[in-house]
Amino acid sequence: MSTSTEDELATPGGEQPPGETGARTHRWPRRRVLRWTLLGLVPAAVGGGWAARQWLGERERRVEDEEMGPVDGYEAEAGLAKGGPPEGRMGDEAFARLLTQQATIPCFAGSPRASLRLAKALELAPSYAPARVLNACWDMQTDRPDLVPKVLSHPSVRDTPEARLLLELTERRPRAPSWSQAFFDSWRALGQPDFSKSTLLPEPLEWSHVISDGFTRSPSDQTWRFPLMVLYPELAEKEQQWLLEQVRASQSVPLLMALREQLHSLEEQAPLRSFLLSAVEERLGQLAGPSPRTLQLALVSFLAGSPPEAPFERRDLEALEKISALREWKQPSSEQFFLEMRGLIDMMYVPGHHAWAMASMAQATSHGTRLLQRTRASKAHLSENELRWLGRLLYEVGARLREQPSRLELDMGLRLQMSGSELMQHVPTREECISAWGQLGNWEDAVKKAAYDRWPLAPLREESCVHRARNELAWMQSFSGKGELP
């Protein structure tokens, strides 16, 4: 799971961050959130909320993060209480840019932490357009649509495509059955403007972002802990024994598959990977039994213990022949697992976002990556007939993946079939893969054109995760003009 600590983020009163001097730009850097201290996660009723690492460090503790809370801490740090920043310190617009950046993830999450920062940013720099767009998004999702026209009436943003879409969305949302439908209809009504290069929207909130902004309520039990550690396992390094016990007792194939994906993404010598990976694969083998029902499960034991640079031998091809005969890629479906995980972590902000991250990992597309790595290592070791045999097997495995309604599985299925076609030297299937890959690229471009993942509207984000879990490909196709939203 990709995260990054933004503790290096400039704090109020600090030196102006590199890159913010000279020419000004509205393009925001991608914000990655956060380092959690899972060992300190306790229900609010017990210990006053999460002991999560603060974004702004010790300085933020002086500031009450409420709608009408004081801003003295910010003003003191920025030198604003004295009429302006001291020499060498941040100017108003640089500070407004910083506050807007710090409000972005809370706005994506629907967290009240966004409110004070946005208010202060507009107070400092009323003409800073990204703050106005973000503020309009915040007003919309907090049921204050009447404030949106005023926020977007400023000359710095008034005539922009972003403002026009938000105003259209404000009008359509009360009449639409969902946020997704209102957004989709607004975008189409405006002629499908291209927001892919927008300088007013933040960078996309990718599915692999882990958002730590507290719980919306106290958890009723501890069932959330294991899924949360799967979501970000590095934080469990001091509870390895507890996590091992959960692995050995787990009955959930997709949860263990997601954890396996996470462990494989760590450095090979990472302590947590060294401690847990074999236990996870052993437990998956136990759940699979002597006759695995799905290809995904069968590949766990087939690939376990062999490095990616190990060439296939004839006995491997014989084993893969039997495995590739399995007609089902995985069980349960991504949608079933998504709904289960969302129910377990529904006390988090944007639980659907995090549940979709786990469902995506549980697709276990790293199986395909490992097969391709070993195929490349095998080209100098297998005979021509054996390479054709391997090509056919890769094509069969790819076919199972292509039956799944998700972007990651389709992409990996096409990669496997492309490699298989080349080994078989079969031009028609190779051309079909190229055509399908181009089609997938068109769908991806259409979603990027709408900048769906760049609009910081938590309800919109949550609804899209439901659509994606059910049928991500149909959801993507609707943006390219093929059908309606699923």
Side-chain angles (χ1 to χ4, degrees):
M1 177 63 62
S2 63
T3 60
S4 68
T5 27
E6 292 295 342
D7 295 38
E8 301 84 359
L9 192 108
T11 51
E15 296 299 326
Q16 188 163 317
E20 298 210 358
T21 56
R24 291 176 177 174
T25 176
H26 284 156
R27 183 166 292 282
W28 300 352
R30 179 172 296 160
R31 316 308 298 170
R32 291 296 179 98
V33 205
L34 287 174
R35 177 178 298 163
W36 288 355
T37 309
L38 280 182
L39 304 179
L41 288 182
V42 291
V46 177
W50 289 16
R53 190 163 184 167
Q54 297 275 1
W55 279 21
L56 305 181
E58 296 297 322
R59 290 184 174 128
E60 181 166 317
R61 297 182 185 178
R62 286 188 296 216
V63 183
E64 294 176 26
D65 207 354
E66 300 173 359
E67 284 285 331
M68 302 302 294
V71 293
D72 296 23
Y74 288 132
E75 292 185 348
E77 291 293 342
L80 299 176
K82 300 178 181 179
E87 186 175 354
R89 300 284 180 162
M90 278 189 188
D92 285 3
E93 185 166 331
F95 190 14
R97 186 180 299 117
L98 171 67
L99 291 172
T100 304
Q101 290 171 353
Q102 292 169 346
T104 299
I105 293 299
C107 197
F108 269 117
S111 165
R113 287 166 62 90
S115 181
L116 180 62
R117 290 165 175 78
L118 289 172
K120 188 62 181 178
L122 288 181
E123 178 187 332
L124 291 169
S127 63
Y128 185 51
R132 288 194 168 271
V133 169
L134 203 66
N135 207 126
C137 290
W138 178 250
D139 288 337
M140 287 190 66
Q141 65 181 306
T142 52
D143 297 322
R144 297 181 296 180
D146 53 306
L147 300 180
V148 173
K150 183 178 179 181
V151 172
L152 297 177
S153 66
H154 192 276
S156 64
V157 71
R158 182 173 53 217
D159 296 323
T160 63
E162 291 83 357
R164 287 194 288 270
L165 185 134
L166 288 172
L167 290 170
E168 185 75 21
L169 181 57
T170 302
E171 290 293 321
R172 289 178 178 271
R173 175 63 194 100
R175 306 189 304 270
S178 65
W179 280 84
S180 298
Q181 193 64 57
F183 177 88
F184 188 62
D185 291 344
S186 298
W187 182 61
R188 291 200 300 186
L190 294 176
Q192 302 182 7
D194 188 352
F195 294 108
S196 62
K197 296 180 180 179
S198 171
T199 59
L200 302 185
L201 296 173
E203 290 299 308
L205 179 68
E206 296 183 3
W207 66 266
S208 53
H209 275 66
V210 179
I211 299 175
S212 169
D213 222 49
F215 282 169
T216 60
R217 62 174 175 80
S218 295
S220 58
D221 53 37
Q222 294 292 306
T223 55
W224 54 271
R225 281 189 75 203
F226 185 33
L228 211 54
M229 288 191 185
V230 170
L231 189 66
Y232 193 38
E234 294 94 326
L235 302 172
E237 288 183 355
K238 293 183 180 179
E239 290 202 34
Q240 292 185 10
Q241 192 60 43
W242 180 88
L243 196 54
L244 177 62
E245 292 170 4
Q246 304 307 305
V247 166
R248 289 172 172 168
S250 178
Q251 296 292 322
S252 174
V253 168
L255 192 57
L256 291 171
M257 203 69 75
L259 179 55
R260 180 181 178 275
E261 293 290 290
Q262 291 283 54
L263 295 173
H264 270 292
S265 72
L266 301 178
E267 295 291 335
E268 192 169 346
Q269 301 305 318
L272 191 63
R273 172 172 171 162
S274 300
F275 183 75
L276 273 182
L277 182 57
S278 60
V280 170
E281 292 181 338
E282 180 182 354
R283 181 58 182 155
L284 284 168
Q286 292 169 354
L287 294 174
S291 301
R293 294 172 52 193
T294 68
L295 182 52
Q296 187 195 64
L297 259 180
L299 283 170
V300 172
S301 57
F302 175 76
L303 294 169
S306 298
E309 64 275 7
F312 288 120
E313 299 180 11
R314 186 174 182 84
R315 65 173 180 271
D316 296 318
L317 301 185
E318 292 170 349
L320 190 56
E321 180 78 68
K322 295 178 181 178
I323 291 173
S324 65
L326 294 168
R327 309 312 296 173
E328 195 169 34
W329 172 248
K330 69 175 189 290
Q331 276 293 339
S333 68
S334 291
E335 182 181 20
Q336 289 175 285
F337 182 55
F338 165 83
L339 293 173
E340 179 189 357
M341 291 299 101
R342 190 180 63 174
L344 290 177
I345 59 172
D346 66 349
M347 79 295 295
M348 296 177 66
Y349 284 98
V350 285
H353 165 78
H354 295 103
W356 176 236
M358 285 191 279
S360 297
M361 290 185 291
Q363 292 165 2
T365 54
S366 73
H367 284 344
T369 302
R370 184 61 62 90
L371 287 172
L372 291 173
Q373 289 172 329
R374 294 193 62 185
T375 295
R376 285 193 291 271
S378 304
K379 289 182 177 179
H381 296 269
L382 296 177
S383 68
E384 185 173 341
N385 286 338
E386 288 171 332
L387 286 174
R388 284 200 177 94
W389 183 11
L390 175 57
R392 179 175 59 80
L393 299 176
L394 292 179
Y395 195 88
E396 287 295 321
V397 174
R400 301 289 79 75
L401 275 162
R402 285 186 64 178
E403 292 170 355
Q404 304 303 307
S406 80
R407 179 184 63 85
L408 291 176
E409 288 165 311
L410 173 58
D411 178 76
M412 183 53 69
L414 287 170
R415 291 176 187 273
L416 287 167
Q417 289 196 321
M418 178 78 76
S419 179
S421 296
E422 290 174 351
L423 291 175
M424 290 187 293
Q425 300 177 20
H426 192 256
V427 175
T429 52
R430 183 175 182 274
E431 290 179 344
E432 188 275 331
C433 289
I434 292 173
S435 175
W437 221 336
Q439 188 177 54
L440 175 59
N442 291 336
W443 300 342
E444 292 173 334
D445 289 343
V447 175
K448 289 178 182 177
K449 183 179 180 182
Y452 197 95
D453 291 328
R454 296 183 63 186
W455 295 93
L457 293 160
L460 188 66
R461 180 74 178 183
E462 287 294 276
E463 288 181 7
S464 78
C465 292
V466 176
H467 295 317
R468 286 165 162 162
R470 183 178 302 125
N471 192 327
E472 187 178 18
L473 299 180
W475 178 81
M476 294 172 68
Q477 288 175 52
S478 65
F479 285 89
S480 65
K482 296 184 177 180
E484 299 295 321
L485 283 174

